[in-house]
Amino acid sequence: MTDQVHNRIAMLRAERGTSRRELADALGVHYQTIGYLERGEYSPSLHLALRIAGYFDVPAEVVFSTEPFPRLGSGRAG
């Protein structure tokens, strides 16, 4: 069993046209932190996870999961 937290931060950023630096500035973290999160090298605190979800105006479970997300095109869209 792994404790990795999977996320869709990169996908959400791409959809919204938001750079890592823009997201980091909005959240008050270093832009490299966003890269670490996206690559799964770092799991966010609950507080940061909720702030990221709030930034994208989506529920936290849209952004984060303990299970890998299905690949795009492998299931229903949305």
Side-chain angles (χ1 to χ4, degrees), residues 2-75:
T2 175
D3 290 338
Q4 182 177 3
V5 175
H6 303 272
N7 71 76
R8 289 178 164 152
I9 297 170
M11 184 191 79
L12 288 164
R13 275 196 317 97
E15 277 182 2
R16 314 281 166 101
T18 304
S19 72
R20 284 183 179 164
R21 192 173 295 277
E22 288 169 331
L23 178 57
D25 289 348
L27 298 171
V29 299
H30 195 277
Y31 75 93
Q32 287 181 325
T33 300
I34 304 302
Y36 295 143
L37 288 167
E38 290 179 352
R39 292 188 299 274
E41 295 171 7
Y42 171 73
S43 293
S45 67
L46 177 58
H47 185 254
L48 181 55
L50 293 172
R51 287 173 44 223
I52 291 168
Y55 176 87
F56 290 114
D57 196 27
V58 295
E61 57 269 22
V62 169
V63 187
F64 299 99
S65 175
T66 56
E67 298 294 322
F69 286 104
R71 295 192 67 81
L72 292 178
S74 67

